[in-house]
């Protein structure tokens, strides 16, 4: 397992292009199998989660040609509706395949999904949504068996605006005769991205970005070429890192409004931010103030995927901050590692009370999940002396070579390959 080695103390500066969103690419790849022809996805960043999804598509029978910039998928040879446990346990997005496999084959067999251990992430909302489309589902021996031979359009109300459940029901509905309405659905930008991708193949989906999505069934989906949205979480991570280091950076190829919740918090802390149509600049040259209250919410609220990173920012900000995690119950694993670096953080129920300290100190720490690992990286940027972060394969799930991006922004960072 590789490690990342950082010498703290450098001010971030420079310009960086932001890559495509991991949380868009995964459902887009899942949806691609519903096409009767070929799919080209441009700017298909090869995060490790994306590589696993491409392996799943290959195992299903698709012909996949991939390079660093794009992926070509020949969907005409797909013949398998079974996703093996060896893939499902590695990546949670394998569960997205339920909806697309049902559309393609009217049946599916998928092992229970894995991914980061950040708390309970039940799939009951996915299954309830599919059952509302008259899918028969059995759960046994660690697998989910779906029979969609009598699927029909319906009105579906999600008990919680789950991103994954919304995406699964969208994919399962596009070829059903009649109209399907999904109420109380997720509003995240990645939902809009999936809608646009499906519509580029001939689907008729409307309403993504609001709490109600309406899908008019079509007979088939055709070939397409598509470019996904930029990654708002990578964008946010680097904005927070810049604030940590009192830096000045410009991020290109972004959608600024996707990060308005974060921008508001960073301005509250004392950062200066300029935005354009597809770029933003962040400047921070003074001691930042603690943000008294931060609560994670579904979009457009503050994203849970940036909670660890902004918590790290609070550790060196002046004052006291209360960071509340409303979506995942074990997303404070980073705290024990930050305490090793000199942070003053106390956990109480679902909140972290963070008292800013003058200085963090380098230490050897371990990434236990994707976003926590990213948080430890940005902590290392300001820590005195050297920080070593182990188990960085978690970070690679959602940041392609994070050390290369940060090197371009004047950070003293390198990856160490630990050969067994």
């Amino acid at each position: 397992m590789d490690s990342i080695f950082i010498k703290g103390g450098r001010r971030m500066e420079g310009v960086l292009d932001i890559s495509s969103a991991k949380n868009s690419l995964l459902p887009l790849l899942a949806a691609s199998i519903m096409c009767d022809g070929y799919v080209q996805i441009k700017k298909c960043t090869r995060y490790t989660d994306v590589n696993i999804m491409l392996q799943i598509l290959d195992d299903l029978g698709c012909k996949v040609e991939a390079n660093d910039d794009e992926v070509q998928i020949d969907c005409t040879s797909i013949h398998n509706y079974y996703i093996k446990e060896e893939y499902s346990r590695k990546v949670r997005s394998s569960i997205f395949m339920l909806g697309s496999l049902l559309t393609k084959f009217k049946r599916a067999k998928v092992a229970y999904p894995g991914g980061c251990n950040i708390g309970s992430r039940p799939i009951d909302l996915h299954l309830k949504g599919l059952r509302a489309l008259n899918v028969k589902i059995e759960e046994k021996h660690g697998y989910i068996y779906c029979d969609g031979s009598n699927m029909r359009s319906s009105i579906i109300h999600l008990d919680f605006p789950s991103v994954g459940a919304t995406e699964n029901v969208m994919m399962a509905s596009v070829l059903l005769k009649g109209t399907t309405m999904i109420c109380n659905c997720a509003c995240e930008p990645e939902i809009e991205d999936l809608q646009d991708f499906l519509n580029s193949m001939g689907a008729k989906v409307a309403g993504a970005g609001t709490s109600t999505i309406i899908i008019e069934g079509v007979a088939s989906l055709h070939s397409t070429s598509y470019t996904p949205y930029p990654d708002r979480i990578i964008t946010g991570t680097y904005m927070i890192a810049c604030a940590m280091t009192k830096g000045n950076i410009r991020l290109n190829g972004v959608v600024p409004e996707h990060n308005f919740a974060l921008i508001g918090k960073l301005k509250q802390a004392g950062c200066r931010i300029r935005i354009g149509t597809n770029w933003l600049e962040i400047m921070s040259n003074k001691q930042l103030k603690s943000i008294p209250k931060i609560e994670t919410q579904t979009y457009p609220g503050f994203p849970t995927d940036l909670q660890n990173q902004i918590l790290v920012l609070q550790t060196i900000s002046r004052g006291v901050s209360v960071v509340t995690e409303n979506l995942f119950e074990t997303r404070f694993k980073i705290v024990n590692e930050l305490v090793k670096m000199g942070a003053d953080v106390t956990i109480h129920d679902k909140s972290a009370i963070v008292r800013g300290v003058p200085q963090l100190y380098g230490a050897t720490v371990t990434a236990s999940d994707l976003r926590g690992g990213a948080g430890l990286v940005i902590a290392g940027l300001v820590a005195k002396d050297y920080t070593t972060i182990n188990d960085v394969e978690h970070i690679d799930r959602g940041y392609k070579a994070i050390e290369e991006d940060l090197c371009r922004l004047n950070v003293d960072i390198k990856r160490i390959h630990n050969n067994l």
Side-chain angles (χ1 to χ4, degrees), residues 180-323:
T180 296
M181 179 182 295
I182 313 171
C183 304
N184 195 37
C185 57
C187 300
E188 274 74 359
E190 294 78 20
I191 303 293
E192 294 185 65
D193 216 0
L194 178 59
Q195 170 187 271
D196 293 347
F197 177 69
L198 292 171
N199 288 345
S200 76
M201 293 193 291
K204 294 182 178 179
V205 184
T210 74
S211 61
T212 303
I213 293 174
I214 297 175
I215 303 161
E216 300 287 345
V218 297
S220 63
L221 300 178
H222 55 68
S223 299
T224 190
S225 178
Y226 190 80
T227 302
Y229 285 3
D231 197 302
R232 61 191 173 99
I233 305 303
I234 293 178
T235 302
T237 299
Y238 295 161
M239 291 174 69
I240 294 168
C242 180
M244 292 277 294
T245 66
K246 299 183 175 64
N248 183 352
I249 64 171
R250 175 177 170 128
L251 301 175
N252 289 329
V254 304
V255 182
E257 54 264 37
H258 290 174
N259 282 100
F260 276 175
L262 173 63
I263 288 171
K265 295 296 185 186
L266 292 178
K267 286 183 175 180
Q268 186 179 352
C271 296
R272 290 174 292 150
I273 299 172
R274 298 175 59 232
I275 62 174
T277 54
N278 64 348
W279 58 268
L280 61 82
E281 290 180 352
I282 175 168
M283 295 149 279
S284 173
N285 57 11
K286 60 183 179 180
Q287 173 69 44
L288 296 179
K289 300 175 291 185
S290 288
I291 304 164
K293 183 179 180 182
I294 302 167
E295 286 197 62
T296 62
Q297 303 287 347
T298 56
Y299 189 85
F302 193 88
T304 182
D305 281 349
L306 288 175
Q307 180 261 100
N308 278 185
Q309 298 92 310
I310 204 161
L311 186 153
V312 172
L313 178 62
Q314 303 315 294
T315 64
I316 61 165
S317 298
R318 187 177 65 251
V320 179
S321 177
V322 177
V323 181

Side-chain angles (χ1 to χ4, degrees), residues 88-118:
S88 295
R89 63 181 167 83
K90 292 179 182 178
V91 59
R92 182 170 176 79
S93 57
S94 58
I95 198 65
F96 297 154
M97 300 298 299
L98 280 178
S100 56
L101 286 171
L102 282 165
T103 292
K104 191 73 174 181
F105 294 106
K106 301 303 180 186
R107 53 183 175 172
K109 177 185 175 183
V110 179
Y112 280 89
C116 279
N117 183 16
I118 55 174

